Amino acid sequence: MALSQDYKRELKVKAAYYYYKKDMKLADIADELNISRVTLNKLLKEAMEEGIIRIDIIDQDNTIGILEMQQSVKERFELMDIVIVNSTTGSYYDVAHAAARIVDGMMRDGIKISLTWGATLELLVDFLNGSNHIKDIEVYTLVGAQGRIGMKMQPNTIAQNLLGKYKGTGYVVNAPFICETVETAQSIMRDGSFTEIVDKARESDITLVGIGPTPNTAASISDMRYDIETVKELKNSNVCGDICSNFYDIYGNLTNNSLCDRFVKVSLDELKQHKNVVGIASGDHKVASILGALNGGYLDTLITDRSTMVSVLEMADRLGL
């Protein structure tokens, strides 16, 4: 028998009262009102739509805003996932902490992890909780080792520190980061020890990559990844950032210069074959490089902070990207 509108409204109020005020189970409410569970669910849904039920969410930390931004960015740049840390400081400490929590949550026996290098990745590994119960992980480095930047940012050292948190085996590129000649770099990358790592790393469950900053000749020497002449050369090539020492412009196009071919590294075409390339970066000096990486489709997942992401979106809007 069809219910009158007045009676339906009465039932909606009663259902809302029992469910939200008295915390009764749906089955018990249905029995109390002598209606089916299907009818009850429909009444509660209509009560919400008609404003009989109003839910206020106290969102002091702008969590909803972050969720909406994440969804918007995910759809706009066709990402598998994105994590935006609710921070306005642009501090890579906050981003590294968030990334460490995510990686800790993914860890399991036999997981395969590839990584590049950078200060944020170094901190991420430092922040990992680790576990003596997780074993047989495999860690691969994707770029040669650069002596000038200090041991803490070495990919091999980062891999070693990761294996200090979890039990497993490391497969590292034992080669210089940058060679004197293109021929030397090409010879190393044709060698079986390098190609074996490339092949194994292709099966990684997660690939952690730093996103290099936009070359800036005004930066202090200690903040530069490369020497001043290299930075000048990169700027002249319209480089806005790099992943695994593969350089690209703001539109995501790979840039060509004589320097690029002297690096020992895995290519971005190769990285695109990995299951989940996770870019981790934040700060004003990374805004253009993050946008270029997104435009190039080089990332599956991005971990950054709100301040940085706002700037990335503003730059994208200005450029019509």
Side-chain angles (χ1 to χ4, degrees):
M1 183 176 66
L3 302 176
S4 68
Q5 290 302 313
D6 289 343
Y7 186 49
K8 279 184 67 175
R9 183 173 182 84
E10 179 183 338
L11 285 177
K12 291 172 188 176
V13 174
K14 287 181 177 180
Y17 172 76
Y18 289 138
Y19 188 66
Y20 290 102
K21 293 293 188 179
K22 303 301 290 184
D23 199 26
M24 289 175 60
K25 295 179 180 179
L26 290 173
D28 294 336
I29 297 173
D31 290 341
E32 178 71 23
L33 298 179
N34 196 27
I35 57 177
S36 69
R37 283 281 299 275
V38 173
T39 300
L40 174 60
N41 287 328
K42 183 178 179 181
L43 290 173
L44 286 171
K45 182 176 182 293
E46 291 178 358
M48 184 74 71
E49 294 170 348
E50 294 168 10
I52 294 172
I53 299 170
R54 297 178 183 175
I55 298 176
D56 292 326
I57 301 174
I58 309 303
D59 185 22
Q60 294 178 336
D61 298 324
N62 193 34
T63 300
I64 295 174
I66 294 294
L67 290 173
E68 291 175 342
M69 181 185 290
Q70 288 179 167
Q71 186 61 34
S72 174
V73 173
K74 185 177 177 180
E75 293 175 358
R76 180 171 182 172
F77 296 104
E78 299 181 349
L79 291 170
M80 181 189 304
D81 199 6
I82 181 170
V83 176
I84 300 176
V85 181
N86 195 5
S87 170
T88 58
T89 64
S91 169
Y92 65 97
Y93 281 83
D94 296 333
V95 173
H97 263 298
R101 288 194 297 271
I102 292 169
V103 174
D104 267 327
M106 296 180 63
M107 295 303 292
R108 54 176 170 76
D109 289 351
I111 192 172
K112 296 176 173 62
I113 301 175
S114 290
L115 54 83
T116 59
W117 62 290
T120 309
L121 288 189
E122 172 206 342
L123 272 178
L124 184 164
V125 172
D126 287 345
F127 291 149
L128 290 173
N129 291 324
S131 171
N132 291 325
H133 302 293
I134 294 176
K135 60 185 185 303
D136 299 330
I137 76 167
E138 296 180 8
V139 180
Y140 305 92
T141 62
L142 303 177
V143 64
Q146 165 67 291
R148 189 185 73 81
I149 58 178
M151 290 302 295
K152 286 189 176 182
M153 289 177 66
Q154 294 282 12
N156 296 4
T157 303
I158 295 173
Q160 182 179 2
N161 291 341
L162 176 55
L163 289 166
K165 299 292 184 80
Y166 297 97
K167 297 176 181 178
T169 305
Y171 300 86
V172 300
V173 176
N174 286 313
F177 172 58
I178 184 170
C179 300
E180 290 292 330
T181 66
V182 173
E183 291 74 21
T184 301
Q186 294 299 317
S187 176
I188 291 172
M189 289 188 289
R190 285 194 301 267
D191 187 80
S193 61
F194 181 82
T195 58
E196 181 183 9
I197 289 176
V198 173
D199 291 341
K200 287 180 177 291
R202 199 176 296 136
E203 301 303 317
S204 295
D205 298 289
I206 181 172
T207 301
L208 303 172
V209 301
I211 300 176
T214 301
N216 180 12
T217 52
S220 65
I221 297 298
S222 61
D223 290 336
M224 290 184 182
R225 281 191 166 196
Y226 315 103
D227 60 62
I228 188 66
E229 293 305 317
T230 299
V231 173
K232 288 180 180 178
E233 183 176 349
L234 293 174
K235 284 193 67 175
N236 291 335
S237 300
N238 295 319
V239 168
C240 78
D242 73 278
I243 293 174
C244 199
S245 298
N246 297 280
F247 299 97
Y248 49 81
D249 63 22
I250 194 68
Y251 302 101
N253 302 311
L254 290 175
T255 58
N256 296 315
N257 57 54
S258 59
L259 178 69
C260 296
D261 294 330
R262 291 166 49 204
F263 288 114
V264 176
K265 83 296 189 196
V266 171
S267 70
L268 287 179
D269 283 340
E270 178 65 33
L271 280 181
K272 283 188 175 182
Q273 299 184 57
H274 287 216
K275 297 175 186 175
N276 186 10
V277 178
V278 181
I280 306 163
S282 65
D284 292 341
H285 60 310
K286 299 287 185 78
V287 170
S289 52
I290 291 172
L291 179 56
L294 292 172
N295 287 331
Y298 302 131
L299 304 175
D300 299 301
T301 299
L302 173 64
I303 304 176
T304 188
D305 68 6
R306 180 165 64 90
S307 176
T308 303
M309 197 67 243
V310 167
S311 297
V312 170
L313 293 173
E314 289 175 347
M315 179 176 288
D317 289 342
R318 285 198 305 273
L319 296 174
L321 299 174

